Amino acid sequence: MASVFTKILRGEIHGEILYQDDLCAAIRDIQPQAPVHVLIFPKKEIRSVAQASAGDQEILGRLLLVAAQVARDLGISERGYRLVVNTGSDGGQTVSHLHVHLLAGRAMGLPLA
Ligand code: 5GP
């Protein structure tokens, strides 16, 4: 079954798509945890970074480059942002389709809750 992110890209459920190319896409998170909260994910449904393989190297690199590009496009690059990749249940991953959270618009500390 297609992931919620794939369904958004297909137009099967509503979502705000900010960017897409041949490998990746970026959407606004439906429950933002910061003034800016974007999800960048590969079109290929890799379940998590733990399931990525050497053949996914280009996709993994593209995800970070797209995150940086989206940050520039949103005007948050200079003040900074946080990129988060939750992995597995202890990592807090709830959607089994690899994604990078781009969070910005407020100062962030460690540790995370
Ligand atoms: P995770 O917890 O797996 O790291 O992050 C999944 C993210 O997907 C969460 O921040 C959650 O708010 C977001 N999310 C879940 N369902 C939807 C949806 O239907 N639309 C959008 N735009 N985001 C979603």
Side-chain angles (χ1 to χ4, degrees):
M1 195 175 112
S3 78
V4 66
F5 301 152
T6 298
K7 287 180 180 172
I8 288 171
L9 280 191
R10 288 180 183 163
E12 293 170 9
I13 59 174
H14 177 72
E16 188 185 351
I17 301 169
L18 298 180
Y19 173 92
Q20 59 177 317
D21 61 27
D22 55 327
L23 293 181
C24 301
I27 61 171
R28 295 250 189 215
D29 198 290
I30 201 169
Q31 279 193 302
Q33 303 299 311
V36 175
H37 190 168
V38 175
L39 304 169
I40 301 99
F41 57 92
K43 290 185 170 176
K44 177 181 175 184
E45 286 198 6
I46 302 166
R47 286 180 54 217
S48 82
V49 76
Q51 273 82 34
S53 62
D56 297 318
Q57 186 166 327
E58 185 183 5
I59 292 173
L60 297 181
R62 183 78 66 85
L63 286 175
L64 292 187
L65 292 172
V66 168
Q69 184 60 53
V70 170
R72 279 191 291 275
D73 292 346
L74 294 175
I76 55 173
S77 207
E78 208 163 302
R79 281 191 56 187
Y81 48 86
R82 176 168 289 175
L83 301 178
V84 174
V85 183
N86 295 330
T87 305
S89 55
D90 274 6
Q93 184 177 5
T94 58
V95 174
S96 296
H97 181 164
L98 171 62
H99 51 282
V100 177
H101 295 258
L102 167 62
L103 297 148
R106 64 172 170 83
M108 280 168 247
L110 281 174
L112 301 170

